[in-house]
Amino acid sequence: EVAAPQPAVDPSEQTWLVMVYADADDEVLEEDMLFDINEMELTGSSERVQVVVQVDRYTGGYAGDGDWTGARRYFIDQDADLSTLNSPLLAELGEVNMGDPLTLIDFVDWSVNSYPADRYVLILSDHGGGWTGGWTDPDPSYDYLSLNEMNDAFSMIVTILEGKKLDLIGFDACLMSQLDVYSTAAPYADFSVASEEVEPAAGWAYAAFLGRLVDNPAMNASDLASIIVETYLEQDQRYLDDAARANLFQGNTDFSAQDVIDWAMSTSTLTAIDLAYIPKVNQAMNDFAYYMTTIDQTIVAAARNYAPSFQSVFGKDTPPSFVDLVNFSLILENEATAGD
């Protein structure tokens, strides 16, 4: 069953609620995701744009920002400190399973009832695996969100919204820009943003796109989706801020912001999707797949050689990774040498 679109609202008065579900219970991404929340604080909330976060941390990983464990909920206030969360702590949840769809539903239910708005944005941040799902949580017991579980959660969220769609579902994660994922989201949201390739650990440029939304809350969801893509990586404070960039490279200050942005952009993707078109895309894909069964299969096999390849969660394709700092340094040095 397809949910109804969000009702018409006077743009000059419309309000937004941005809900960020940050599964930082991960040794690799914990520090990066804490930085993302600090980056949100550079903009903070406003009277017409309110931002709330549920974040679950990893035990024994990143020791900064208080080194607390378990999950918390924050209302994001404006703050210029990129190393410490200073927003109001709204709830101390203890250890929760972020891979359980009921945890996601509970967060959205609490958010919508605590901060009702005209427009609703849900951003899920963590590792992603496309059709395999993502949002793994090793504590209290290993779990993750499958696409079927996301479907169940999104369906319940629409019920919380009294039958209306979310304006935007964003996946700040790797490999989620797949037809399987968009087909899961399409009945429950108007727009989506996701990456087909692996994402650099810096994630989305939260201060940049939230700043644009706070400055112009009259924009629509299509505009917001486009701005998330437009600001991605190029306006990320993890790269632009000198101290944050040096920290990313373990104290190395040799790389300029533009060096890092150029490298990250060379292997990265991000896409804004109008989910209203997904049913037609699925029909076209079905027609295409059927037609492919009727022609010479040697031609089909040969065509695969010309198809672009993206990172595989099964380890078959291993393009250079931005998070491999050693390789990054060597590549830059080799390029500099070649130019001499």
Side-chain angles (χ1 to χ4, degrees):
E1 182 178 353
V2 177
Q6 286 288 354
V9 178
D10 183 349
S12 67
E13 298 180 357
Q14 74 181 5
T15 57
W16 293 79
L17 176 63
V18 180
M19 302 169 282
V20 183
Y21 188 75
D23 182 10
D25 201 342
D26 179 89
E27 186 174 11
V28 174
L29 291 182
E30 181 190 15
E31 180 176 2
D32 300 296
M33 293 173 70
L34 264 291
F35 185 89
D36 283 342
I37 302 173
N38 273 296
E39 188 178 12
M40 296 172 204
E41 288 185 328
L42 289 183
T43 294
S45 299
S46 68
E47 184 177 348
R48 291 173 57 188
V49 179
Q50 297 181 304
V51 184
V52 293
V53 173
Q54 178 166 311
V55 55
D56 187 19
R57 289 190 64 168
Y58 184 81
T59 302
Y62 173 53
D65 212 344
D67 199 21
W68 49 271
T69 60
R72 291 179 173 181
R73 287 173 179 165
Y74 288 94
F75 179 88
I76 302 302
D77 268 350
Q78 199 282 328
D79 173 70
D81 185 351
L82 278 171
S83 61
T84 305
L85 296 180
N86 292 306
S87 291
L89 172 61
L90 301 181
E92 188 85 61
L93 304 178
E95 190 55 59
V96 300
N97 180 3
M98 298 284 278
D100 185 338
L102 294 178
T103 305
L104 174 57
I105 293 167
D106 181 68
F107 168 59
V108 174
D109 186 39
W110 167 83
S111 301
V112 169
N113 283 286
S114 299
Y115 305 97
D118 300 311
R119 301 287 176 232
Y120 293 101
V121 175
L122 175 61
I123 299 172
L124 296 92
S125 178
D126 188 27
H127 292 294
W131 62 268
T132 65
W135 286 262
T136 55
D137 194 333
D139 191 7
S141 61
Y142 181 86
D143 201 358
Y144 72 100
L145 289 173
S146 67
L147 287 191
N148 284 339
E149 289 177 322
M150 288 185 190
N151 180 81
D152 294 342
F154 297 157
S155 177
M156 184 58 66
I157 288 167
V158 163
T159 299
I160 294 169
L161 295 177
E162 300 180 346
K164 305 301 181 183
K165 289 185 178 183
L166 289 156
D167 289 273
L168 186 149
I169 295 176
F171 299 96
D172 185 2
C174 297
L175 308 173
M176 296 301 284
S177 187
Q178 295 184 4
L179 187 54
D180 318 61
V181 177
Y182 293 134
S183 298
T184 300
Y188 312 114
D190 291 329
F191 293 88
S192 188
V193 176
S195 171
E196 188 166 13
E197 185 53 275
V198 294
E199 281 194 358
W204 293 2
Y206 285 94
F209 76 78
L210 287 175
R212 297 272 291 276
L213 181 60
V214 166
D215 288 343
N216 179 25
M219 73 172 64
N220 57 38
S222 175
D223 293 334
L224 178 60
S226 297
I227 288 168
I228 292 171
V229 174
E230 176 187 329
T231 58
Y232 180 54
L233 301 180
E234 291 186 291
Q235 297 181 40
D236 199 297
Q237 291 300 313
R238 197 71 190 272
Y239 305 156
L240 298 180
D241 183 87
D242 292 341
R245 188 172 65 256
N247 176 263
L248 180 64
F249 289 96
Q250 301 177 345
N252 190 327
T253 60
D254 292 340
F255 309 124
S256 71
Q258 197 60 54
D259 285 336
V260 180
I261 290 168
D262 287 346
W263 170 247
M265 293 289 287
S266 70
T267 58
S268 298
T269 61
L270 198 66
T271 306
I273 296 290
D274 184 341
L275 294 173
Y277 290 94
I278 293 302
K280 292 183 178 180
V281 173
N282 273 316
Q283 184 59 56
M285 179 64 73
N286 290 340
D287 294 343
F288 174 70
Y290 176 76
Y291 174 76
M292 295 283 278
T293 67
T294 68
I295 64 176
D296 184 348
Q297 294 303 293
T298 59
I299 298 175
V300 176
R304 293 197 191 101
N305 294 327
Y306 298 95
S309 177
F310 294 92
Q311 179 81 0
S312 169
V313 294
F314 303 106
K316 293 182 179 179
D317 302 307
T318 54
S321 170
F322 173 75
V323 297
D324 188 337
L325 303 184
V326 175
N327 284 347
F328 176 65
S329 302
L330 291 174
I331 289 170
L332 287 181
E333 289 174 4
N334 290 339
E335 288 180 348
T337 303
D340 289 341

